[in-house]
């Protein structure tokens, strides 16, 4: 019996989507790949999360990212404004725990915070890949959600940081 995951359909640089056969280097496939990377990295972050409430939120985010991927691939699924409103509310909840900052924060601190910062940058790249897609694949609610989600990860990276260090402008020693 052969592995059903190995289809060989993409061996010539093309793949199937709900829109038909597209080149693997298309903006749509780049976006779908970025969604997958984002979701996988959130999965890694789950291994370091010790906060049950945040763990539950991150699992919901993973599900929401799968919903976006399904929608982009033609599923009869609506991405509503509830998505970006929900994550904005979660961001505001965690934001209240932060001290004000007066400069950029250097990514790092705790291991968990470092992973959350990397996840934030992957999500920002995912958002950019979304906006590079053809208009037929863009849904304003997906764009808003992706914009909010990277902000959310910045906030939680700060909340779960053991030692937050701010950028010192021009410092070389």
């Amino acid at each position: 019996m052969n592995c059903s995951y190995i289809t060989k359909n993409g061996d010539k640089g093309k793949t199937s989507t709900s829109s038909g056969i597209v080149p693997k280097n298309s903006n749509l496939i780049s976006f779908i790949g970025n969604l997958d990377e984002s979701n996988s990295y959130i999965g890694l972050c789950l291994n370091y999360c010790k906060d049950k409430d945040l763990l539950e939120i991150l699992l919901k985010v993973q599900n929401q990212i799968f919903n976006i991927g399904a929608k982009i691939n033609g599923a009869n699924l609506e991405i509503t404004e509830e998505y970006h409103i929900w994550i904005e509310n979660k961001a505001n909840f965690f934001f209240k725990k932060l001290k004000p900052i007066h400069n950029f924060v250097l990514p790092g601190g705790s291991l968990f915070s470092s992973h959350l910062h990397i996840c934030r940058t992957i999500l920002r790249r995912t958002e950019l890949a979304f906006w590079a897609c053809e208009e037929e694949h863009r849904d304003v609610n997906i764009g808003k959600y992706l914009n909010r989600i990277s902000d959310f990860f910045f906030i939680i990276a700060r909340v779960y940081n053991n030692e937050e260090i701010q950028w010192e402008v021009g410092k070389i020693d």
Side-chain angles (χ1 to χ4, degrees):
M1 176 192 252
N2 290 330
C3 176
S4 63
Y5 298 127
I6 301 174
T7 64
K8 301 180 184 176
N9 292 340
D11 288 354
K12 294 183 181 175
K14 298 196 185 271
T15 192
S16 299
T17 70
S18 63
S19 304
I21 305 296
V22 297
K24 284 190 170 187
N25 65 348
S26 72
N27 290 336
L28 175 62
I29 299 305
S30 176
F31 173 58
I32 292 168
N34 276 282
L35 280 174
D36 187 31
E37 183 181 2
S38 297
N39 219 345
S40 295
Y41 213 92
I42 293 168
L44 175 71
C45 290
L46 292 172
N47 290 291
Y48 297 98
C49 184
K50 296 185 181 1
D51 179 327
K52 183 181 174 192
D53 293 331
L54 180 60
L55 187 70
E56 190 175 303
I57 292 167
L58 294 178
L59 287 168
K60 286 182 182 179
V61 167
Q62 282 192 301
N63 194 70
Q64 292 165 352
I65 289 173
F66 263 113
N67 288 345
I68 291 168
K71 168 71 174 170
I72 291 295
N73 278 303
N76 186 18
L77 186 68
E78 189 175 352
I79 307 301
T80 65
E81 68 179 12
E82 289 177 44
Y83 278 68
H84 59 88
I85 291 170
W86 178 81
I87 199 63
E88 191 172 332
N89 287 336
K90 299 302 178 191
N92 285 328
F93 170 79
F94 283 100
F95 183 76
K96 292 174 185 172
K97 299 179 178 193
L98 294 173
K99 296 176 189 170
I101 55 173
H102 304 289
N103 220 332
F104 288 105
V105 173
L106 299 179
S110 69
L111 184 60
F112 183 45
S113 176
S114 297
H115 281 296
L116 292 170
H117 274 294
I118 293 169
C119 196
R120 168 187 58 82
T121 64
I122 293 169
L123 285 158
R124 188 63 74 191
R125 183 171 17 94
T126 301
E127 178 193 2
L128 297 176
F130 168 76
W131 290 113
C133 283
E134 298 75 15
E135 285 203 31
E136 68 193 67
H137 299 292
R138 286 194 233 140
D139 176 316
V140 69
N141 287 319
I142 293 173
K144 287 179 181 180
Y145 178 79
L146 292 171
N147 186 36
R148 302 296 187 290
I149 197 70
S150 55
D151 294 339
F152 170 75
F153 271 81
F154 176 72
I155 291 166
I156 62 174
R158 287 193 60 214
V159 168
Y160 292 93
N161 195 343
N162 293 340
E163 182 184 349
E164 190 166 80
I165 301 171
Q166 293 185 33
W167 171 43
E168 295 181 41
V169 181
K171 183 175 180 175
I172 59 171
D173 62 350

